Amino acid sequence: MGHYFVELAASQGADITVVTASGERGARLVELGAAASLRRVADAPGPYQIGLDSVGGDVTATVWAKLTDDGLLVWFGQASRVPPTLDFFDWRGGLSGTIRKFAYSDSDTTDADDLATLVRLVQAGRLHPEIGLVADWEHTAEAIEAMVGRAVRGNAVLTLSPNSAALAR
């Protein structure tokens, strides 16, 4: 998600600060267009118009505190496995801000339309997917487990072998 967001938003002129625990990952996101890479949200200078939070826990409140008065917090996950909490008596950041919970399934376009757009951008050289795992589709359960366990950086590609293609017919 972060890789695509950075590349697409930067191509539209957004000034992006990314936060990632991996210095290597941060360097890659800077190559893709991020203006800065930090290791902790607390170190981000702010204020920001938009904050994206996929971590949850204490990070959500820290992102909120880094927003402009009318900023937008988009919450789309809790990788920390800790529910986010906000103290609405803490007046730092987001004074009149908005919180938006993002659900991947809530869209006005179909998955096919979205995928067609991504394919078009890849073909035009404007989007550069990172493939972190290639496996036969028979290993789908293991691929999902690896992705959930954050053992795959980038996308997982499942292939059909000649034998499995015959079975799928």
Side-chain angles (χ1 to χ4, degrees):
M1 170 78 185
H3 164 170
Y4 290 123
F5 174 80
V6 167
E7 197 164 5
L8 293 170
S11 73
Q12 298 298 309
D15 184 12
I16 305 159
T17 299
V18 296
V19 177
T20 177
S22 163
E24 176 188 343
R25 185 72 183 145
R28 177 66 177 138
L29 293 172
V30 168
E31 287 175 12
L32 292 171
S37 173
L38 304 170
R39 300 293 286 270
R40 298 176 341 121
V41 175
D43 296 335
Y48 301 100
Q49 280 292 122
I50 301 171
L52 303 178
D53 175 23
S54 65
V55 177
D58 296 341
V59 170
T60 303
T62 306
V63 172
W64 180 260
K66 299 292 181 176
L67 293 178
T68 59
D69 285 348
D70 61 344
L72 169 65
L73 169 62
V74 180
W75 181 81
F76 62 99
Q78 56 189 55
S80 68
R81 306 266 196 271
V82 176
T85 57
L86 291 173
D87 177 357
F88 287 101
F89 292 101
D90 180 349
W91 293 98
R92 294 174 299 149
L95 185 63
S96 296
T98 302
I99 300 172
R100 171 91 194 242
K101 181 179 178 182
F102 174 80
Y104 295 96
S105 60
D106 181 23
S107 177
D108 293 336
T109 60
T110 67
D111 290 345
D113 290 340
D114 287 342
L115 289 172
T117 298
L118 294 175
V119 167
R120 182 177 47 77
L121 291 170
V122 169
Q123 288 174 330
R126 294 178 53 203
L127 189 63
H128 305 88
E130 293 180 344
I131 308 301
L133 173 71
V134 177
D136 188 271
W137 77 278
E138 293 172 349
H139 299 284
T140 299
E142 293 95 335
I144 291 171
E145 186 175 311
M147 291 183 71
V148 169
R150 301 178 64 90
V152 176
R153 186 178 107 188
N155 300 100
V157 175
L158 299 176
T159 62
L160 293 174
S161 65
N163 293 339
S164 58
L167 293 174
R169 289 186 219 148

